[in-house]
Amino acid sequence: MNQRVVDVSQDARARAHIDEAKYQAWYEASIRDPEAFWREHGKRIDWFTPYAKVKETTFGPGDVSIKWFSDGVTNAAHNCIDRHLAARGNQVAIIWEGDDPSESRHITYRELHAEVCRMANVLRNRGVSKGDRVTIYLPMIPEAAFAMLACARLGAIHSVVFGGFSPDSLAGRIQGCDSKLVITADEGLRGGRKVPLKANVDAAIQRLPADSVDHVIVVRRTGGAVEMDPVRDVYYDAAAAQVTDECPVTHVEAEHPLFLLYTSGSTGQPKGVVHTTGGYLVYASMTHQYVFDYHEGDIYWCTADVGWVTGHSYILYGPLANGATTLMFEGIPTYPSISRFWEVVDKHKVNIFYTAPTAIRSLMGAGEEPVKKTSRKSLRVLGSVGEPINPEAWEWYYRVVGDQRCPIVDTWWQTETGGILITPLPGATPLKPGSATRPFFGVKPVVVDSDNKVLDGACEGNLCIDDSWPGQMRTVWGDHERFVQTYFSTFPGRYFSGDGCRRDADGYYWITGRVDDVINVSGHRMGTAEVESSLVAHPKVSEAAVVGYPHDIKGQGIYAYVTLMQGEEPSDALRKELVAWVRKDIGPIASPDLIQFAPGLPKTRSGKIMRRILRKIAEDEFSSLGDTSTLAEPAVVDDLIENRQNRT
Ligand code: 6R9
């Protein structure tokens, strides 16, 4: 176990909003009397009608219901834009850095207001109003922010679909929430390569019933030629030229849905995680301020894509609610050179930088020189999110990127949690490389064993949260029962994260990764069931089982065991065909890294696939397979070991 402790630096403590004494006092107060704590902190956003009610939540057993500030009335776009106009209308809200380093844009709060109003009017003219769902399938361009905020302005519910998802995945997500309008771009641009977004939208709509989508709005990004349906499709610039740049905000109740975001779970198809307006915004903005120790004038950069929750909470809603300058980057860390991240930091004098361990690990491979040749003097706080950061990557990030000056906040949270739950605070928390450290205000983590017994002191088990916080998801879109089943039934009365963790003697949390059938590839969540159902849809495949295995750069890789239909022969060509199949079906992030053709899978006598064994073999730890006595056909295991794909 890594025992190194990095103490809070004098600099960090001197400037921080929260020091250790304040952390202790606030944390204690937030747990003792959550109602009073959040009554106070809920005021950090503007309310058209102030709330009298604060916390109305129950985690069951039985009914699960979560409401915060429920009689308050507000609007997220108002809080992210309009309320800043008087004091900082001319301050830059969004710095956009293009894929090509010669392209960037600075958008002030006043300009953001005009752009969002225009987009809102374009939507309104196409019938979008409060409660309607709008699907956004855009690259990392300012219009993605305009579109999300335009929906918020109208009280419409956005569902952003990551541009890397396939037409099939997009179709499922359009249909899942019944959205009548899709906003996309002609093409995306990443690392100099074009992504055919509009063509993907066309292909997605073709798979849906004829009356599904009424309007497609196409932002011109590359100017590439795309097919336009004369009735359904319109270029955004043409539509925007027809409308004014003023649009009133729609007043919405605190519990009105702000967005839904599809995410993978251990079973079934991705589910629409529902976040509502008031509590989410209070929580996103508060965590953004304290976790990153954000101060007025700071330049803040989160490298996530807006297609993921990190982009929602920490590129858009948190920073803008705080009146920050947030940087949005279209490109990738290695284009045009492997120094790109640090060149962007220097170019825009970034103070706070938030990225994923997978990016750090991939850059580590190229050594220190590409980092060290840049200044990075502006940096003050570094952040990590998406997967456990291994101590080696942590140390490199700290020493090489941060010159041992910048605290690293290793932030643990999930799409479902809306905002960061376990994290250091830069001016308060002594750091331990590889640990997400301690809970944020109002967060009550518990570690339980498989019998739902709470473990005390230093221990290891399943990570649950025992009480609600304002940023928590409220339900699964259209399926409250699935919400209750997925998160509150494994350990009745608690929210179960799906993660395992260890707590050390200092009360620090060390996330050990998913304990369910979700794998985390480069910080992206993938349900093994989704990849399996894609594989078995191939005509030559009879059965498939998918597990994760340790991968140097991605954290976890996707390992697929495939049993072929009778008469089909395994071959490298078929292996490639299956990888391409899944890639096309779900998207590049779901491509299997290794495929093993298996004549049989290990099953119990009742026919259940024993994933524990498959995981061990994929991890190359087959000497410790554990109990195999319940297997129907113990011999299949020998064949699996003999033909494993990960021999080093
Ligand atoms: C924000 C986000 C959530 C899953 C989560 C966990 C893993 C995220 C982590 C981390 C260890 C961290 N995870 N942050 N594991 N340390 N700092 O990533 O949301 O895409 O829903 O993924 O990611 O396994 O359960 P999401």
Side-chain angles (χ1 to χ4, degrees):
M1 183 167 84
N2 193 309
Q3 287 293 358
R4 183 162 119 83
V5 177
V6 177
D7 283 324
V8 177
S9 75
Q10 290 239 347
D11 277 4
R13 186 179 303 124
R15 97 168 71 79
H17 295 292
I18 310 278
D19 63 10
E20 178 65 3
K22 198 161 175 184
Y23 170 74
Q24 295 293 348
W26 280 29
Y27 183 71
E28 199 266 326
S30 72
I31 298 301
R32 185 176 19 97
D33 191 351
E35 177 89 16
F37 183 84
W38 291 112
R39 182 178 299 283
E40 183 56 32
H41 290 284
K43 295 181 198 151
R44 60 179 297 119
I45 66 166
D46 277 6
W47 297 87
F48 300 124
T49 306
Y51 49 85
K53 296 179 177 162
V54 177
K55 180 175 187 288
E56 301 157 272
T57 68
T58 168
F59 282 6
D63 183 37
V64 176
S65 164
I66 297 153
K67 288 192 225 163
W68 285 88
F69 313 113
S70 71
D71 55 353
V73 174
T74 184
N75 178 288
H78 166 85
N79 274 287
C80 289
I81 308 169
D82 302 46
R83 71 160 169 164
H84 303 311
L85 291 179
R88 60 180 101 216
N90 296 324
Q91 183 202 305
V92 174
I94 298 176
I95 301 175
W96 177 75
E97 169 76 14
D99 188 52
D100 180 330
S102 68
E103 278 192 281
S104 54
R105 254 180 96 177
H106 289 74
I107 299 154
T108 64
Y109 273 95
R110 198 171 309 288
E111 290 163 342
L112 181 63
H113 179 263
E115 296 276 13
V116 169
C117 286
R118 247 184 225 293
M119 180 77 86
N121 284 329
V122 167
L123 298 180
R124 208 163 51 155
N125 281 352
R126 283 160 184 78
V128 173
S129 67
K130 185 177 172 188
D132 292 344
R133 279 77 57 206
V134 171
T135 298
I136 299 176
Y137 186 65
L138 280 172
M140 287 287 285
I141 54 177
E143 285 78 4
F146 306 159
M148 293 162 78
L149 290 163
C151 289
R153 196 165 192 87
L154 299 174
I157 305 167
H158 59 71
S159 164
V160 182
V161 178
F162 175 57
F165 278 119
S166 66
D168 265 335
S169 302
L170 175 62
R173 286 159 170 79
I174 292 172
Q175 198 167 30
C177 64
D178 195 17
S179 61
K180 299 278 173 213
L181 189 145
V182 178
I183 308 175
T184 190
D186 46 11
E187 296 169 310
L189 199 56
R190 283 185 88 235
R193 295 189 7 203
K194 291 178 177 168
V195 188
L197 295 174
K198 172 62 165 66
N200 286 352
V201 170
D202 291 342
I205 293 175
Q206 234 166 40
R207 288 163 168 74
L208 297 173
D211 60 347
S212 298
V213 173
D214 297 332
H215 299 283
V216 177
I217 296 173
V218 183
V219 178
R220 282 187 222 263
R221 170 60 189 106
T222 63
V226 296
E227 278 180 34
M228 294 290 280
D229 179 300
V231 179
R232 190 193 65 191
D233 303 348
V234 65
Y235 275 112
Y236 179 64
D237 50 9
Q242 311 283 319
V243 298
T244 70
D245 59 6
E246 282 294 339
C247 172
V249 294
T250 302
H251 291 199
V252 302
E253 316 76 58
E255 286 300 333
H256 181 67
L258 176 60
F259 65 84
L260 45 118
L261 191 52
Y262 282 87
T263 194
S264 297
S266 52
T267 56
Q269 288 304 305
K271 47 188 170 297
V273 166
V274 176
H275 282 290
T276 59
T277 307
Y280 170 80
L281 205 60
V282 166
Y283 198 77
S285 68
M286 184 164 172
T287 46
H288 172 261
Q289 179 181 352
Y290 295 132
V291 172
F292 300 104
D293 195 37
Y294 167 76
H295 291 264
E296 216 170 300
D298 281 346
I299 309 289
Y300 164 88
W301 180 17
C302 165
T303 70
D305 191 285
V306 288
W308 309 113
V309 74
T310 308
H312 284 60
S313 300
Y314 298 113
I315 294 178
L316 207 67
Y317 287 113
L320 294 183
N322 289 337
T325 298
T326 183
L327 194 150
M328 188 176 185
F329 176 43
E330 185 182 34
I332 59 172
T334 49
Y335 177 85
S337 89
I338 194 140
S339 298
R340 183 72 191 275
F341 268 0
W342 326 118
E343 287 163 1
V344 174
V345 165
D346 286 352
K347 175 175 176 185
H348 297 293
K349 302 282 176 291
V350 171
N351 305 112
I352 302 166
F353 177 75
Y354 190 30
T355 196
T358 187
I360 300 299
R361 285 193 300 265
S362 72
L363 297 176
M364 270 168 81
E368 301 184 10
E369 196 272 336
V371 189
K372 289 298 185 193
K373 74 177 199 200
T374 62
S375 157
R376 290 159 289 107
K377 284 278 182 299
S378 56
L379 287 176
R380 217 183 59 223
V381 174
L382 301 175
S384 172
V385 61
E387 46 172 326
I389 181 163
N390 47 310
E392 298 70 32
W394 195 102
E395 294 288 356
W396 193 85
Y397 197 20
Y398 185 70
R399 184 174 55 80
V400 181
V401 176
D403 290 326
Q404 308 191 63
R405 290 181 297 108
C406 308
I408 295 179
V409 289
D410 174 2
T411 62
W412 176 81
W413 60 296
Q414 312 178 293
T415 306
E416 293 86 341
T417 71
I420 295 163
L421 293 195
I422 301 184
T423 179
L425 301 183
T429 318
L431 307 171
K432 298 189 191 186
S435 170
T437 78
R438 307 184 298 200
F440 190 74
F441 308 123
V443 175
K444 252 175 110 170
V446 281
V447 183
V448 300
D449 69 9
S450 49
D451 298 323
N452 199 15
K453 182 168 141 302
V454 174
L455 306 176
D456 294 322
C459 59
E460 182 159 354
N462 304 294
L463 177 58
C464 294
I465 312 291
D466 254 7
D467 200 356
S468 185
W469 62 98
Q472 182 172 26
M473 78 181 278
R474 302 303 197 248
T475 190
V476 169
W477 182 258
D479 197 349
H480 193 69
E481 188 46 38
R482 189 169 176 203
F483 174 61
V484 178
Q485 266 300 318
T486 308
Y487 304 104
F488 300 91
S489 72
T490 318
F491 303 108
R494 313 179 198 286
Y495 168 80
F496 176 40
S497 65
D499 280 333
C501 85
R502 192 161 61 73
R503 187 173 52 216
D504 70 17
D506 296 327
Y508 275 42
Y509 291 85
W510 301 71
I511 312 300
T512 50
R514 302 290 302 199
V515 294
D516 55 10
D517 290 321
V518 171
I519 41 192
N520 191 324
V521 184
S522 301
H524 299 150
R525 268 164 74 162
M526 206 65 244
T528 53
E530 285 170 73
V531 185
E532 285 163 6
S533 79
S534 171
L535 282 168
V536 296
H538 188 282
K540 293 182 181 165
V541 174
S542 112
E543 203 167 31
V546 168
V547 297
Y549 73 100
H551 188 287
D552 281 350
I553 289 174
K554 300 181 182 181
Q556 279 190 301
I558 300 181
Y559 193 117
Y561 296 88
V562 170
T563 306
L564 295 176
M565 294 288 190
Q566 232 170 24
E568 298 297 343
E569 284 301 317
S571 69
D572 278 343
L574 180 53
R575 205 174 255 131
K576 286 203 186 100
E577 187 180 321
L578 293 178
V579 171
W581 172 271
V582 176
R583 204 183 155 83
K584 186 159 175 293
D585 190 24
I586 307 178
I589 58 170
S591 308
D593 296 277
L594 296 172
I595 292 184
Q596 173 170 1
F597 292 112
L601 296 174
K603 293 189 185 158
T604 60
R605 285 185 200 97
S606 62
K608 215 168 173 307
I609 294 177
M610 292 190 73
R611 294 168 170 284
R612 176 174 54 81
I613 292 176
L614 295 176
R615 258 186 233 123
K616 287 281 182 204
I617 296 173
E619 286 164 6
D620 211 13
E621 284 185 15
F622 52 88
S623 54
S624 56
L625 287 184
D627 184 11
T628 54
S629 63
T630 54
L631 278 175
E633 278 183 88
V636 300
V637 172
D638 299 329
D639 176 81
L640 290 174
I641 292 174
E642 178 59 27
N643 293 302
R644 67 192 186 279
Q645 295 293 303
N646 54 350
R647 280 180 242 216
T648 40

